[in-house]
Amino acid sequence: MLRRFSSSSNLVTIGIILIAIAFIVLFFLPSLVNLRLNLLISSLVNQGGRVIGDSPEIIAFRSMTADSYLLQNAYLFLTGIVLLAAGLFKQTNR
């Protein structure tokens, strides 16, 4: 009985931690996108290219980067919800 309780409490704990991480990452999303964009621009400049900050390609890359971070964050949040629900509603076989 104690082993089953600790297993479900572990699922609840991991679920809560994943949900908290998802909200923390959401708070830092703009800085993550800017960091990734700055890395792209610096690598383009280092290759000898010229970069216009308001070009449609840079704006599209910023949008794609934000979308990818939001999708990763949604997966993290949904995984936390599933683990939390599994831990809360876990039933015994006997």
Side-chain angles (χ1 to χ4, degrees):
M1 171 101 175
L2 182 61
R3 181 139 175 99
R4 288 185 185 145
F5 178 73
S6 69
S7 172
S8 65
S9 67
N10 285 341
L11 287 175
V12 169
T13 304
I14 292 171
I16 290 172
I17 289 172
L18 287 178
I19 292 169
I21 289 172
F23 278 110
I24 291 170
V25 169
L26 190 62
F27 178 73
F28 290 110
L29 184 70
S31 62
L32 287 172
V33 171
N34 285 335
L35 176 66
R36 187 121 181 225
L37 188 64
N38 289 338
L39 288 173
L40 171 73
I41 290 173
S42 66
S43 69
L44 289 174
V45 168
N46 286 340
Q47 292 176 0
R50 213 176 71 180
V51 178
I52 300 172
D54 292 337
S55 68
E57 292 84 11
I58 297 296
I59 293 171
F61 182 76
R62 179 183 304 224
S63 175
M64 287 187 306
T65 304
D67 290 344
S68 70
Y69 279 128
L70 281 174
L71 185 62
Q72 290 172 5
N73 202 23
Y75 285 147
L76 191 65
F77 178 76
L78 291 175
T79 303
I81 292 292
V82 167
L83 289 176
L84 181 65
L88 290 176
F89 299 114
K90 188 174 183 182
Q91 296 179 356
T92 60
N93 291 335
R94 296 175 195 194

